[in-house]
Amino acid sequence: MMYEEPKEDSLKVEKPGYFQSMYRSIMGIYQWGKDPYCTSLARALEICGDSIHTKQSDQCDPVIILFTTNVSILLNAAVINSIQTLMAKGISLNIVNMHPKDSLIPSTEAILVKQFNEFSFTKLEMDLFQDHNNANNNREVSVGVTLPIDTVPQTLQDDVRIVFNLRPLKSKLEPGYTIQIAKNHFYEGLAYKIEKDVPIGEGEGFKIPLTLLRSFDRSGGDNEMPPHEIKFSIISPAHIVVSSGYFGIPTGEFGITKDGENKVDIKAALDGEQGVGKSAATNQVVNVFVTGPVVHPVLTSNATDSHTTKCIQFYNIKSYLAQYLEDSPHRDLDLFKIIKKSLNVLLVDKQGISRSATKISYANLLAGKYIHGSNEEKPANRECAVHSIVYVASIKSFVSGNFEETLARIKEIKEEGIEPIIAITFSDKLERSEMEGPKQNIAKLGHAPNIIYLKNYVEGATERSIEKDYASFRLLLRIKTVTMNKLRLLKMDAETKQNQGPKLIDGLTKRE
Ligand SMILES: Nc1nc2c(ncn2[C@@H]2O[C@H](COP(=O)(O)OP(=O)(O)OP(=O)(O)O)[C@@H](O)[C@H]2O)c(=O)[nH]1
Ligand SMILES: [Mg+2]
């Protein structure tokens, strides 16, 4: 067989994030051709293998999916060696042939690869489940858990409606199987007995809508978040567990609404010293709504001696998402359609505070006197007026005791009559034991729900963390609450003025 070096970009190795809730352990995308350190397929497979964390007991087996237009070049000694290393680590390799006219490569005992001649996510998903099923003979049914998107909006404060999507793999399920969900601090558990036959099948699967009741034990008020993973099991009438796993609730589907009932136009500005992660925090908020690998649309710095963000930048989160998702396989997800309709979040990033930076006044930000791309004061424009200010500070400044700037700025924000929201970054840089002292100082800065410990994705990170997304989502919810409080105050002010107006005229009329 002739061996040819593949052309750049002719090979792409994917571990799709699309199956987020089901395939946590294999999420991520690696694109060969974009990585200057990777010159061969053998190396690409090695990099993917290394990036997969050790399998946790309840997760599915890791799988690497290789999309290729050049099947015939695959098998040289180095590639065979890499595939064998993957096999030894319990990672399977699936190859999707993007040029169905090519013949597939022969699979031997030495290299077990599964090959597909056409590409369909649904089919791939089914095949992956079947693979898993072969490895663990007790799994009889594949399960997907989603939030219903065609009904009224949900919030984290409510009982949550979910949909179980069952696909029996071996034979239909007779009535009497039970879906069991363990209780956690956020939701009550449930046991739901299925009363009908669940047919074996491909495609959509059999959908069962369920409601998880909110737990009465919730203690953390608005600030509390659901666990990152909620355990479920499917149990046969003979009390055998036929499938089990975890699902997470994608944060992006809360807080946004279909019909605008709950719709608020959110405009928030981020401030803080140079390099504390203001731009990274803006990226975090975009990532709440993206289900694939992490994106970094806003420029963040890796230098500490110069300003990365030079002037005021208005980021409309929705337009960013539109731009990023236009060419992606996530484009048709219902979540994205909802976002398109109802997400209205504008974040205002600015140059960090430093001796050389132009001083930006909070009063002017609130009055709408700054525009995108400038640090100059302009005539007030309501479209540019923000409702809330997020002050970003690194936890490191609280270790060194050097946080006067933070105190002074928070005081300034309060003087403008709004609740400051305080986002603390860089917690990942401290050990748990080092956090106690700084946390006590931070707690004094403001009302507890307004203090958010953000876990920013560092520059270039691609692997998604539901924990990080939750922290950013909590920030977004807080911004929303503060915005609504501010809008309510503005409305009351306007009404008071209106009520005073006619009285004065009345008085004048009487005097006349
Ligand atoms: N480890 C860690 N790194 C972070 C965190 N937040 C931001 N970073 C990194 O810190 C660097 C600076 O972050 P930026 O978001 O550019 O900071 P900035 O506040 O916008 O800085 P200026 O625009 O220059 O004022 C980037 O390399 C980020 O990836 C965090 O919470 N933890
Ligand atoms: Mg910046």
Side-chain angles (χ1 to χ4, degrees):
M1 199 187 334
M2 280 281 289
Y3 174 73
E4 265 174 27
E5 245 341 289
K7 287 190 213 84
E8 282 242 315
D9 272 345
S10 68
L11 285 159
K12 204 162 103 179
V13 181
E14 294 212 19
K15 300 173 281 155
Y18 187 75
F19 309 126
Q20 194 168 341
S21 57
M22 293 167 272
Y23 302 106
R24 276 294 168 62
S25 58
I26 56 161
M27 214 173 55
I29 283 189
Y30 175 79
Q31 203 165 347
W32 183 21
K34 299 251 160 100
D35 182 347
Y37 300 104
C38 177
T39 50
S40 70
L41 174 60
R43 178 75 189 121
L45 292 175
E46 209 180 292
I47 291 173
C48 288
D50 290 346
S51 72
I52 295 176
H53 300 304
T54 328
K55 186 187 145 186
Q56 316 260 307
S57 60
D58 258 322
Q59 284 174 332
C60 300
D61 293 317
V63 178
I64 293 176
I65 303 165
L66 171 71
F67 293 86
T68 174
T69 51
N70 204 348
V71 168
S72 55
I73 50 85
L74 290 177
L75 289 182
N76 62 10
V79 173
I80 292 175
N81 193 12
S82 298
I83 297 176
Q84 285 173 338
T85 312
L86 294 177
M87 282 165 63
K89 285 169 83 179
I91 302 169
S92 24
L93 176 64
N94 287 8
I95 298 177
V96 180
N97 180 11
M98 307 295 274
H99 267 182
K101 276 190 230 115
D102 288 358
S103 55
L104 296 176
I105 54 167
S107 192
T108 65
E109 284 220 350
I111 47 151
L112 285 176
V113 288
K114 194 166 174 132
Q115 299 170 70
F116 305 86
N117 245 343
E118 65 183 273
F119 174 62
S120 135
F121 266 117
T122 317
K123 194 166 172 304
L124 202 60
E125 187 189 356
M126 290 292 286
D127 278 309
L128 288 175
F129 268 121
Q130 243 124 42
D131 261 4
H132 187 71
N133 187 37
N134 290 340
N136 302 275
N137 262 333
N138 60 345
R139 189 180 279 257
E140 289 178 12
V141 54
S142 86
V143 184
V145 184
T146 52
L147 299 191
I149 42 81
D150 51 351
T151 46
V152 284
Q154 316 200 52
T155 77
L156 288 176
Q157 311 322 320
D158 304 325
D159 301 334
V160 66
R161 283 166 296 107
I162 52 176
V163 177
F164 260 74
N165 200 347
L166 304 183
R167 272 183 231 152
L169 298 170
K170 292 176 171 171
S171 59
K172 68 170 188 182
L173 299 187
E174 306 281 346
Y177 279 76
T178 307
I179 298 175
Q180 211 170 67
I181 298 174
K183 177 179 162 58
N184 56 58
H185 74 273
F186 210 77
Y187 295 118
E188 292 294 318
L190 67 75
Y192 174 85
K193 195 174 246 181
I194 305 165
E195 304 288 357
K196 286 188 194 153
D197 273 351
V198 180
I200 191 164
E202 298 197 6
E204 287 285 282
F206 188 84
K207 290 189 161 51
I208 301 177
L210 294 172
T211 300
L212 275 182
L213 299 180
R214 51 167 290 160
S215 161
F216 296 110
D217 305 340
R218 280 194 206 178
S219 52
D222 281 3
N223 236 11
E224 203 165 18
M225 297 295 285
H228 312 120
E229 295 183 320
I230 300 174
K231 173 140 199 206
F232 71 84
S233 318
I234 312 288
I235 299 165
S236 78
H239 305 289
I240 294 165
V241 177
V242 294
S243 183
S244 68
Y246 292 89
F247 63 93
I249 297 184
T251 51
E253 295 195 33
F254 287 109
I256 47 175
T257 69
K258 272 190 99 170
D259 311 322
E261 177 220 317
N262 204 358
K263 184 168 144 185
V264 222
D265 212 356
I266 293 174
K267 293 193 197 95
L270 296 110
D271 195 21
E273 289 174 56
Q274 193 183 325
V276 291
K278 298 177 292 298
S279 303
T282 310
N283 281 332
Q284 288 306 109
V285 173
V286 176
N287 274 291
V288 166
F289 301 99
V290 175
T291 50
V294 173
V295 295
H296 300 265
V298 182
L299 191 69
T300 58
S301 72
N302 45 21
T304 45
D305 53 350
S306 67
H307 286 283
T308 303
T309 311
K310 308 266 190 248
C311 52
I312 293 192
Q313 301 287 328
F314 283 56
Y315 291 111
N316 183 331
I317 304 296
K318 184 158 64 174
S319 340
Y320 258 84
L321 287 171
Q323 207 176 309
Y324 267 78
L325 296 177
E326 211 48 61
D327 296 325
S328 100
H330 308 300
R331 184 184 57 226
D332 293 326
L333 289 185
D334 291 321
L335 170 59
F336 181 47
K337 289 186 202 147
I338 303 176
I339 290 171
K340 253 186 169 166
K341 232 169 150 181
S342 61
L343 183 78
N344 265 319
V345 179
L346 187 95
L347 291 187
V348 182
D349 191 13
K350 66 179 276 299
Q351 188 176 36
I353 298 167
S354 77
R355 247 175 288 160
S356 63
T358 320
K359 167 110 184 167
I360 299 293
S361 105
Y362 294 139
N364 284 351
L365 272 170
L366 291 161
K369 291 191 179 176
Y370 296 113
I371 57 166
H372 179 76
S374 155
N375 287 331
E376 305 284 314
E377 187 180 328
K378 301 272 189 284
N381 174 354
R382 261 183 58 171
E383 294 294 305
C384 301
V386 305
H387 307 116
S388 61
I389 290 167
V390 179
Y391 194 85
V392 186
S394 162
I395 195 163
K396 292 188 280 188
S397 60
F398 296 91
V399 177
S400 60
N402 185 12
F403 54 95
E404 289 76 25
E405 185 70 49
T406 302
L407 289 174
R409 295 297 173 127
I410 288 176
K411 187 160 165 268
E412 272 180 49
I413 298 173
K414 286 183 181 158
E415 282 165 4
E416 293 303 328
I418 53 170
E419 302 169 55
I421 299 168
I422 301 144
I424 306 293
T425 52
F426 284 89
S427 306
D428 53 313
K429 289 285 177 197
L430 295 191
E431 296 295 330
R432 200 177 276 261
S433 59
E434 296 171 300
M435 305 259 287
E436 279 315 306
K439 271 192 159 174
Q440 283 174 13
N441 285 326
I442 292 166
K444 290 181 205 144
L445 295 178
H447 180 44
N450 286 339
I451 299 171
I452 316 278
Y453 283 84
L454 265 195
K455 297 179 177 188
N456 285 340
Y457 288 114
V458 297
E459 219 191 20
T462 56
E463 193 166 339
R464 185 157 297 279
S465 149
I466 302 237
E467 235 177 309
K468 291 183 178 176
D469 289 349
Y470 271 10
S472 336
F473 187 60
R474 184 181 288 163
L475 172 69
L476 192 55
L477 286 182
R478 205 56 221 165
I479 292 175
K480 185 170 155 186
T481 307
V482 171
T483 302
M484 285 166 80
N485 290 347
K486 170 79 184 168
L487 291 174
R488 214 171 289 133
L489 275 177
L490 286 175
K491 197 167 161 221
M492 271 161 58
D493 261 10
E495 279 168 7
T496 321
K497 276 195 194 123
Q498 227 176 27
N499 291 343
Q500 280 168 352
K503 260 187 211 146
L504 193 64
I505 294 167
D506 258 10
L508 283 175
T509 327
K510 271 180 196 152
R511 241 179 270 144
E512 268 173 11

